[in-house]
Every structure is written in structure tokens, then in C-alpha cells.
Amino acid sequence: VMYVGGRAKKVREEQEDVPGVSTLEDRQEEGILRYLEGVVRLGCDSPAVHNHLLTLLADLEDEVPLFRYLTSLKSPPPLDLDFALLVILRTHRHHRSAVKVYVAQGRRAAAVELALKVDPALAREICVGPDKRDLWLMIARDTARGSEVDVSAVISVLRESRCLSIEDVLPFLPDFVAIDAFKDEIVSALGVYSGKIQRFKDEVAECDLTCDSLLEEIDILRASQVKCPRNASCALSGRPLIRNGKEVWGAGGFYVFP
């Protein structure tokens, strides 16, 4: 019989009056916990076992065993993630473990939002994958929140992200702020824009040359003439050119375009 925990308050008070009962229950729960941990280490993938183990770990005051257990799980984890999240959130204390479950569910935005409240360093570890830019923007926005913005902290997020630019974080900064802290980023952004402008100029110049060449060819075609005998006929249809042709094209033969 597995101990589930969560007994009524009245029963707990009655047991506390009996010497040794609380100690005995604690030992039983600890024994069950160690047994389940051993079963899991041996490779058990039963969702029932993992769900029960998570419930026991969530009942502990110390979050370290629960967080370590969630970190060790393979993907996909052999437990009910919705159940795990519900159990952990009901504790109102194991927030870092809840972040792990959010990540396992693929809800990285929710994971970052929660991690920013309890462990900003953990929030930065989550920012991977195709949506990492949006996640880093959440961190930058949270870092710039407040009446007194720490510009150096915002710039630290910018540099660590490797996917944000200075224009991404400027909306989060005050209207008036010294640029000394992010002068290098501004210079780098200006250099990037300068290179893009030069490439656009080169493309425009190339387009101008192409247009000039096309205009010259059009003028040549307009001034060109085709001479053909009176009895000449279309090389494809055999129709006489003079009576049937509105336009004539000669290229090793005469062709009529009605």
C-alpha cells in the first residue's frame, strides 16, 4: 500500500498526541520514497510510479530532490505533466520545479514568466529554440521594469542573448538616458546599417545599368527593319506574309504574328 499523504488536520492532531506515531509515519514515507527512487533508477517507466514519486517529492519542504528528479527525466518524461504541474503549483513553493514542467510541456513563455519571478538565471537557460528571440525580449522587458532602470543590466541581456539588437531594447529604456553604457552597441548597429545601405546602393546601381541596357535594346528593335520577298510565306503556317502578317520576325525564316 503506497502512502499518498495529505491527511486531515484532525487526524494529524490526534496522531501527534500518541508518542512515536509521527516518527513512524515519517520513516514509512521516507522508506517508500527511497524505494520508488530506486525503482526509477533501475529504469522503471511506469507513469503511476513516477506520478506517485513526484507527489512524495512535492510534499518535501526542500525543493532540491524534486528539481533534481525533474532534471534527470528523459524526453518525453514518463509521467502526466498536467498532473505534475497541478501538484507542484499547489505547494506554492516549488516554483523552479514548476518551470521545469512548463518547459517539458513546451510552454517556454510561461516558464520564462515564472522563472523571472523566482530565478532570473534559470529564465536565461530556457531561452533556446526557434522562439528564443521572443523569450529574450521578455527578459529584457522585465529587466528594464521599474522606476529606475539599470541600463547596464539591460545591455547585459542584450549581449548574452546574441539574437537581440540595440533597437530591440531601446523601447524598454527611459526617454532620456546616457548612451555611454551602450555606445559600442550603437556603433555596431550603425556599422551594420551602413553596410546594408551600401548593398542597397549597389543593387540600385546594377538595376539602373540593366534598365539602360534594356532601353537601348528597345530603341534598336524599334529602328530595325525586316526585308522579305513579295511571295514570302510564314515558315510555320505557310500563309503569305503581306496579306496576313501584322508583325514579321526573321530568324533563318519568316514568321507571322497575327
Side-chain angles (χ1 to χ4, degrees):
V1 178
M2 291 188 178
Y3 175 77
V4 177
R7 296 176 179 274
K9 180 179 179 181
K10 183 178 180 181
V11 176
R12 289 184 181 275
E13 292 176 351
E14 292 177 353
Q15 291 175 343
E16 289 175 357
D17 295 336
V18 181
V21 171
S22 297
T23 303
L24 177 61
E25 286 191 352
D26 291 342
R27 290 179 179 177
Q28 289 177 342
E29 184 173 350
E30 183 180 355
I32 295 173
L33 182 59
R34 290 182 178 179
Y35 171 77
L36 292 178
E37 288 178 335
V39 170
V40 169
R41 280 195 297 269
L42 291 176
C44 176
D45 289 335
S46 170
V49 172
H50 281 270
N51 290 341
H52 191 70
L53 175 59
L54 180 134
T55 302
L56 295 179
L57 292 174
D59 284 340
L60 301 177
E61 291 293 332
D62 186 9
E63 186 183 8
V64 173
L66 175 60
F67 188 80
R68 183 172 57 243
Y69 162 71
L70 292 172
T71 304
S72 67
L73 291 178
K74 61 183 180 180
S75 182
L79 54 79
D80 187 336
L81 293 176
D82 293 333
F83 169 78
L85 184 62
L86 178 63
V87 170
I88 294 173
L89 291 179
R90 281 181 175 177
T91 65
H92 300 291
R93 59 180 184 274
H94 299 329
H95 302 296
R96 297 175 72 249
S97 298
V99 170
K100 282 289 186 181
V101 178
Y102 276 132
V103 173
Q105 290 179 324
R107 302 166 61 185
R108 292 186 178 273
V112 170
E113 183 179 0
L114 179 59
L116 287 172
K117 300 176 182 178
V118 297
D119 189 353
L122 180 60
R124 300 189 179 198
E125 295 177 5
I126 301 170
C127 296
V128 294
D131 58 342
K132 67 176 183 179
R133 184 177 180 278
D134 295 334
L135 301 179
W136 278 110
L137 281 174
M138 292 177 59
I139 296 177
R141 186 183 298 108
D142 182 80
T143 305
R145 185 175 300 167
S147 56
E148 296 184 1
V149 178
D150 187 353
V151 178
S152 61
V154 177
I155 298 305
S156 175
V157 173
L158 170 64
R159 292 172 178 172
E160 185 177 352
S161 69
R162 299 180 180 273
C163 62
L164 298 181
S165 59
I166 185 63
E167 56 265 38
D168 292 326
V169 301
L170 280 179
F172 307 142
L173 299 177
D175 294 335
F176 300 95
V177 63
I179 67 171
D180 294 344
F182 49 92
K183 180 173 61 178
D184 294 340
E185 282 71 22
I186 293 178
V187 172
S188 176
L190 291 176
V192 172
Y193 284 127
S194 177
K196 290 182 179 179
I197 291 173
Q198 185 59 46
R199 287 196 297 271
F200 289 147
K201 286 182 177 180
D202 294 340
E203 291 178 2
V204 170
E206 184 177 352
C207 288
D208 288 340
L209 292 175
T210 303
C211 290
D212 292 340
S213 177
L214 291 175
L215 290 174
E216 291 177 1
E217 292 182 7
I218 292 173
D219 291 338
I220 293 173
L221 289 175
R222 283 176 178 174
S224 63
Q225 296 180 352
V226 177
K227 295 182 180 181
C228 62
R230 289 187 178 186
N231 59 350
S233 58
C234 177
L236 293 178
S237 65
R239 294 180 298 175
L241 298 181
I242 295 178
R243 286 184 297 176
N244 297 289
K246 295 180 180 179
E247 296 182 13
V248 178
W249 183 265
F254 299 101
Y255 302 91
V256 175
F257 297 89

